């Protein structure tokens, strides 16, 4: 790279480092976590727009600068993803060792799934209504060749073939942990749910082992057989006690790491939003402005639905939004439900008063099942847009009912194949016999819309956690009402 090319890159990186130092200075001066996240958002937007204006979108200099900046942004996401499996495992098993989950396990799971699947059905209706009543149905940008290359269409057809043969039983079966070590390494799209199931099985096994030890406490020793039984019970009690101590220690270590990583949130947000703004295609956003606007209107409506569910649980939506802002803003910028899991769980337990086991179940299931944004609104919108071009009346009750049913069922399939909204859309469009080209035609505005979709997905999982925790009676309303009960990552970290 020539000197003329190096200088712009060095200038951008110098500004970036200066902004990171400014955020560090704000922390040293005692500024709170949420104001620093807000500040990071604003600074990142300005930096990203400046990079695109000064260096040009997609230029070598811009790409090089963003590549170096990704050490902070993508490195932060990588650290969060690193924590997902150990956090989920030790937190759920720890809930069993602290006897906070026994008979409530089934009820927690049922309520979480009911909220996730119920709201994704509402999200499908919202996506349909947003298109049907806005005039987007059969919109002109669906004309053949309106921006989708032959290569992109071929790629979509290949991806559709990967999901075409999946049935609902196969999708559900993919949740079962076959090789727990592979799932702990995140080798499958459904690894997180598999780890949840394995952790629950481990917790139940601990309870049975502890119960066996307790049964032997009052056993007599009138015969050799009873002596053997007493020895076996004593051994079981020692094993259970050791396992509890081990899990408690692991939980303490993992939570310390979580706090250390979360303290990096403002720096990660700065780098991530700068990358989004520097790489966005603003011309395409203007051309498809109505679709983008309608998409966000639908997303905001579903957020209002979440607020109504919170009110039904006697939880203030304003309190929820204030306390959930850090995780929602991170999800918006990072576009990663998986990366948001640690911050999601911490927000539920430390800020919203949700029980630990419930928070882990809802965060884990919510990143894979019933996603309101990626598996609900977006596929429904695409199906409704394209349906009139093949002669389907979008106001037909048969079409609407079929669309909602397919969306709800396919929301399991997103976890089964991975790939988020694109795969969900391919499943819905393929099942309903609709053309898939629209997925490629809208690829230019995908990142912008995906930001809002991801934030909605994370909100849905937290609302499911609050609802389930309230249903089983372990919602700590003192924590919920405490304005100082927030997630900052500063309890154990000095970064």
């Amino acid at each position: 790279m020539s000197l003329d090319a190096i200088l712009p890159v060095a200038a951008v990186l110098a500004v970036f480092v200066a902004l990171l130092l400014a955020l560090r200075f704000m922390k040293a001066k005692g500024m709170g976590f949420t104001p620093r996240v807000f500040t990071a958002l604003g600074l990142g937007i300005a930096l990203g727009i400046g990079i695109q204006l000064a260096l040009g979108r997609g230029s070598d200099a811009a790409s090089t600068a963003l590549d170096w900046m990704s050490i902070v942004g993508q490195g932060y996401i990588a650290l969060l993803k690193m924590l997902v499996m150990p956090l989920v495992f030790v937190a759920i098993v720890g809930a069993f060792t602290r006897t906070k989950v026994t008979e409530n396990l089934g009820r927690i799971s049922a309520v979480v799934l009911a909220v996730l699947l119920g709201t994704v059905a509402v999200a499908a209706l919202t996506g349909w209504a947003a298109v049907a009543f806005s005039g987007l149905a059969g919109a002109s940008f669906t004309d053949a060749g309106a921006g989708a290359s032959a290569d992109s269409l071929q790629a979509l057809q290949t991806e559709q073939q990967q999901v075409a043969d999946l049935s609902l039983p196969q999708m559900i079966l993919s949740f079962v942990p076959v090789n727990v070590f592979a799932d702990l390494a995140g080798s499958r799209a459904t690894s997180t749910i598999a780890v949840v199931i394995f952790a629950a099985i481990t917790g139940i096994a601990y309870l049975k082992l502890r119960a066996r030890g307790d049964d032997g406490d009052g056993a007599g020793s009138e015969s050799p057989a009873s002596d053997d039984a007493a020895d076996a019970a004593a051994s079981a009690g020692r094993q259970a006690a050791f396992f509890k101590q081990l899990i408690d220690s692991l939980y303490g270590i993992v939570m310390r790491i979580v706090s250390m990583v979360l303290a990096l949130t403002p720096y990660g947000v700065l780098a991530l939003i700068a990358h989004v703004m520097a790489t966005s295609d603003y011309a395409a956003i203007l051309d498809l402005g109505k679709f983008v606007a309608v998409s966000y209107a639908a997303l905001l409506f579903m957020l209002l639905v979440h607020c109504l569910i919170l009110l039904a649980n006697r939880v203030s939506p304003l309190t929820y939004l204030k306390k959930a802002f850090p995780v929602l803003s991170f999800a918006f910028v990072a576009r990663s439900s998986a990366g948001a899991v640690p911050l999601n769980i911490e927000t539920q337990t430390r800020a919203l008063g949700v029980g630990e086991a419930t928070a882990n179940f809802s965060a884990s299931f919510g990143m894979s099942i019933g996603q309101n944004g990626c598996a609900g609104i977006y596929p429904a919108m695409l199906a409704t847009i394209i349906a009139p071009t093949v002669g389907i009346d979008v106001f037909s009750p048969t079409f609407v009912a079929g669309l909602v049913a397919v969306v709800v069922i396919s929301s399991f399939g997103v976890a089964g194949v991975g790939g988020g909204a694109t795969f969900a859309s391919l499943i819905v469009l393929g099942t309903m016999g609709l053309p898939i080209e629209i997925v490629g035609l809208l690829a230019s505005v995908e990142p912008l819309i995906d930001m809002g979709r991801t934030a909605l997905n994370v909100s849905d999982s937290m609302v499911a956690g609050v609802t389930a925790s309230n249903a089983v009676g372990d919602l700590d309303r003192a924590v919920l009402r405490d304005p100082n009960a927030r997630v900052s990552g500063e309890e154990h970290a000095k970064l």
Side-chain angles (χ1 to χ4, degrees), residues 51 61 134 159 191 410:
I51 291 173
S134 67
E159 291 175 351
S191 285
S410 67

Side-chain angles (χ1 to χ4, degrees), residues 90-114:
V90 300
I92 291 180
V93 176
F96 281 89
T97 62
R98 291 186 291 275
T99 328
K100 292 184 179 179
V101 176
T102 48
E103 69 280 355
N104 286 332
L105 178 62
R107 190 176 181 188
I108 289 171
S109 302
V111 174
V112 167
L113 289 174

Side-chain angles (χ1 to χ4, degrees), residues 47 112 116 124 142 174 242 247 250 258 264 314 317 328 339 356 476:
L47 178 60
V112 167
L116 293 174
T142 62
S174 68
F242 173 77
I247 292 297
L250 289 174
V258 168
L264 301 172
R314 296 179 292 114
L328 295 181
E356 292 173 358
D476 190 339

Side-chain angles (χ1 to χ4, degrees), residues 89 116 364 378 425 427 457 484:
F89 179 77
L116 293 174
S364 302
Y378 192 67
S425 300
I427 293 171
N457 295 340
N484 297 317

Side-chain angles (χ1 to χ4, degrees), residues 3-17:
L3 180 62
D4 291 340
I6 291 175
L7 289 177
V9 174
V12 169
L13 294 179
V15 172
F16 177 62
V17 171

Side-chain angles (χ1 to χ4, degrees), residues 156 159 162-163 188-190 335 337 367-368 371 374-375 378-379 412-427 439 446 450 453-454 457:
L156 288 174
E159 291 175 351
Q162 293 175 3
V163 303
R188 300 187 297 155
T190 54
R335 297 165 51 201
S337 296
M367 66 170 275
S368 304
Q371 294 185 344
C374 291
Y378 192 67
F412 285 89
V414 175
V417 298
T422 298
F423 281 101
S425 300
L426 292 175
I427 293 171
V439 179
E446 255 284 299
D450 193 43
R453 289 196 310 244
T454 307
N457 295 340

Side-chain angles (χ1 to χ4, degrees), residues 11-49:
V12 169
L13 294 179
V15 172
F16 177 62
V17 171
L19 295 179
L20 292 176
L21 292 174
L23 290 173
R24 181 67 182 85
F25 178 77
M26 292 167 62
K27 183 184 185 313
K29 289 298 183 181
M31 182 173 288
F33 181 76
T34 300
R36 284 187 286 120
V37 173
F38 265 119
T39 302
L41 277 171
L43 294 175
I45 290 171
L47 178 60
I49 293 175

